[in-house]
Structure formats: C-alpha cells, structure tokens
C-alpha cells in the first residue's frame, strides 16, 4: 500500500489524505482505513472514488496484474482508483458495511448507507465475485462476516461451501 499519502499534515496526527468527513489512519481491519471525523447521516456523500479512466481492455490487463482498485463506469470505460490522489482507495471492505459505492453519471461516490458515528471506520462491500474468492480473506470482524471478500449476493454460497468443508 502506498504510504506516501500519509506524510504528516499540518495538524497533529493528520495525513495528507484526510478530507472534511474522513481521517485516514491505521485500521484494525487492514492497513490504512478511513474513519468518520464527525457523525455522518445516512445518504451523505462521504467521499468520491477517483481515478484514471481506462478502456475495458486496459482494465482487464490491470486486473490480470492484481489491481484490485478498478470500478466499472460504463460499457466502454472503467476507473482505476490505484492513483495516489484517490484517498478512497484506503476504505476497507466489510461484510456489514456502513456505506455503499454508488455510480452517479461517470462518478463513483462512497455514500453512507446508514448513520455513522464519529470515529467509526468507513467501510463498503467491495462486491467481488466468486472467481478466486478464497484468495481474498476478509478481516472485517463483523458478526455476519463470511470470511471472504465477496458481494452480498454470494454470502449464502460461501457459507454453504464452508459448512460442507467441515
């Protein structure tokens, strides 16, 4: 993970990636995470997920090189959020997220799916499919955690697979 975005800012304990609503720091989930600086109401746009607009062919190439920061924008383009100027890339996955990634036009917003308390870690479900899902363990700590980073639509499949393995 690129730590250069976290050089100390002017405020004690702040980072260059901090926004009005989100402070970035070490996360109990994984690496760096985003935490609510203040209470955030349901429906609030917390942060824009920014990045480089790329073709579907380039997206496939980057995914094959293990880039996990790509969102689909439209039938022709994807958004590669692995750029240094995208602090949203540090928002962690959760099986019980408090935010959702929403596509509005050609922008992706991280939007509060419920009220979020000040200090709470900002999370969203990364929405991974089942291809190689066992290569992506989840450490969100939610009571509903399925142990892997997958879209909610696959939770039952993963739970069933785990039960059969026991």
């Amino acid at each position: 993970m690129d730590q250069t975005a976290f050089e100390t800012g002017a405020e004690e304990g702040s980072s260059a990636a901090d926004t009005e609503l989100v402070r970035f720091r070490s996360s109990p989930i994984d690496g760096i995470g985003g935490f609510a600086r203040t209470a955030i109401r349901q429906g609030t746009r917390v942060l824009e997920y920014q990045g480089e607009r790329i073709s579907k062919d380039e997206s496939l190439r980057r995914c094959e090189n293990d880039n996990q920061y790509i969102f689909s924008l439209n039938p022709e383009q994807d958004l590669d959020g692995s750029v240094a100027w995208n602090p949203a890339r540090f928002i962690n996955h959760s099986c019980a997220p408090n935010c959702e990634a929403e596509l509005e036009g050609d922008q992706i917003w991280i939007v509060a799916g419920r009220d979020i308390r000040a200090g709470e870690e900002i999370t969203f479900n990364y929405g991974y499919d089942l291809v190689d899902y066992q290569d992506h363990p989840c450490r969100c700590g939610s009571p509903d955690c399925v142990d892997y980073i997958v879209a909610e639509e696959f939770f039952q499949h993963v739970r069933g697979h785990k039960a059969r393995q026991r």
Side-chain angles (χ1 to χ4, degrees), residues 126-147:
Y126 288 1
Y128 287 3
D129 60 24
L130 292 174
V131 175
D132 300 324
Y133 78 90
Q134 292 175 327
D135 292 343
H136 304 284
C138 180
R139 296 182 275 287
C140 73
S142 161
D144 297 323
C145 183
V146 297
D147 298 328

Side-chain angles (χ1 to χ4, degrees), residues 80-151:
D80 181 351
S82 66
V83 297
W85 39 274
N86 177 31
R89 74 188 186 283
F90 294 109
I91 295 176
N92 281 312
H93 165 87
S94 176
C95 295
N98 52 25
C99 289
E100 300 174 0
E102 294 184 4
L103 178 64
E104 295 181 22
D106 273 352
Q107 291 179 293
I108 296 169
W109 289 94
I110 306 302
V111 177
R114 63 169 173 76
D115 290 347
I116 300 170
R117 297 178 318 277
E120 187 176 348
E121 184 162 6
I122 305 296
T123 59
F124 71 98
N125 185 314
Y126 288 1
Y128 287 3
D129 60 24
L130 292 174
V131 175
D132 300 324
Y133 78 90
Q134 292 175 327
D135 292 343
H136 304 284
C138 180
R139 296 182 275 287
C140 73
S142 161
D144 297 323
C145 183
V146 297
D147 298 328
Y148 296 98
I149 298 175
V150 295

Side-chain angles (χ1 to χ4, degrees), residues 18 20-21 25 33 35 40-41 48 55 59 81 83-84 100-102 108 115-117 120 123 127 152 154 165:
D18 288 349
E20 180 181 334
L21 295 176
R25 61 178 171 82
F35 295 81
I40 300 172
R41 301 214 27 99
E48 183 180 0
S55 70
S59 178
V83 297
E100 300 174 0
E102 294 184 4
I108 296 169
D115 290 347
I116 300 170
R117 297 178 318 277
E120 187 176 348
T123 59
E152 187 174 359
F154 301 122
Q165 287 183 327

